[in-house]
Amino acid sequence: MNEDLKLWERIKAGDTLALKMLHERYYYQLYFYAQKSFHNEEGIDEAVSDCFIKLWTKRSEISIIRSVKSYLFLILRNNLIDIHRKKKGITHLEDLKYADFPDEETLVDLDQFAKLYQALEKLPEQRRRILELAVFESLSYAQIAEKLQISINTVKTQIGRAYRFLKEELDPKTIQLFLMIRTK
């Protein structure tokens, strides 16, 4: 029995810690899938959170034999279709254009993004903020120092420590993904 199915058995028995572990494992993958597939910032976070709520509240009615992950993606896809349907006033499913269930390659990509964001969340707040400004906003060390009212040396030190931490925390493919984000 794989790890997810063991967690599922614990969830069925009422273990909230197991639900939290499942949430930590798949939240970002589900979120990035929703963001990529439905291009709708509004309601995505709620739709993803609702997957875990549904899993919890209907745990005695649900039978998962093979893949908890696939079941979560199915719940999410249905949640997003419902949101889109309500927003657009669509009554027939045929009128709705929606993303296919993610293939294995997409799931691997989503998993790498999730691992990256989980690692970033482990960084101390100031270090993470400095790294985000450098990577996602392409600010120079001097601009970051000015914006945060700290010295340039502090910026350099914190970015160096952040990169060292990420290299220790992440596998090479995920580090490569991070570096690709940085260069865009």
Side-chain angles (χ1 to χ4, degrees):
M1 183 180 282
N2 73 29
E3 205 174 315
D4 286 351
L5 290 175
K6 289 177 185 175
L7 284 175
W8 173 240
E9 290 302 318
R10 288 175 49 196
I11 290 167
K12 283 177 57 175
D15 186 346
T16 57
L17 180 60
L19 180 68
K20 182 179 180 195
M21 291 169 68
L22 199 66
H23 182 273
E24 288 173 359
R25 182 172 296 162
Y26 293 119
Y27 176 83
Y28 283 114
Q29 289 182 44
L30 293 165
Y31 184 84
F32 292 129
Y33 165 73
Q35 197 173 41
K36 180 179 178 184
S37 300
F38 287 83
H39 311 289
N40 177 13
E41 291 288 333
E42 185 180 322
I44 288 177
D45 190 45
E46 185 179 329
V48 173
S49 295
D50 191 46
C51 294
F52 296 98
I53 293 168
K54 283 182 181 175
L55 196 67
W56 178 255
T57 58
K58 296 184 181 216
R59 66 187 182 277
S60 61
E61 304 164 26
I62 299 172
S63 176
I64 301 175
I65 299 168
R66 289 200 174 129
S67 174
V68 178
K69 182 179 189 177
S70 293
Y71 194 82
L72 284 167
F73 274 96
L74 181 63
I75 294 172
L76 176 61
R77 183 173 168 266
N78 291 339
N79 286 349
L80 292 168
I81 288 170
D82 287 344
I83 288 170
H84 192 70
R85 187 185 286 165
K86 288 174 188 171
K87 184 177 177 185
K88 300 284 186 186
I90 296 170
T91 55
H92 299 294
L93 193 56
E94 304 85 46
D95 298 335
L96 180 62
K97 302 270 191 266
Y98 54 88
D100 291 329
F101 189 77
D103 59 16
E104 194 59 37
E105 185 179 328
T106 302
L107 288 174
V108 169
D109 290 346
L110 293 170
D111 186 45
Q112 288 178 347
F113 273 113
K115 287 176 182 173
L116 173 61
Y117 277 84
Q118 287 169 336
L120 289 172
E121 283 187 345
K122 291 179 183 178
L123 290 170
E125 187 176 336
Q126 183 183 30
R127 189 172 300 159
R128 182 178 64 241
R129 181 72 182 128
I130 291 169
L131 187 64
E132 288 171 348
L133 289 170
V135 174
F136 300 122
E137 296 184 29
S138 300
L139 296 182
S140 69
Y141 289 174
Q143 290 170 320
I144 294 168
E146 183 180 322
K147 183 171 186 152
L148 298 179
Q149 298 180 345
I150 56 177
S151 75
I152 292 177
N153 285 336
T154 300
V155 172
K156 290 177 185 177
T157 300
Q158 292 300 321
I159 287 179
R161 288 178 182 169
Y163 278 122
R164 273 194 299 282
F165 173 77
L166 292 175
K167 284 180 183 177
E168 292 170 7
E169 191 75 14
L170 300 171
D171 61 49
K173 284 184 179 180
T174 309
I175 290 287
Q176 186 66 33
L177 173 69
F178 182 70
L179 294 174
M180 284 175 28
I181 291 170
R182 185 169 191 260
T183 59
K184 288 184 178 179

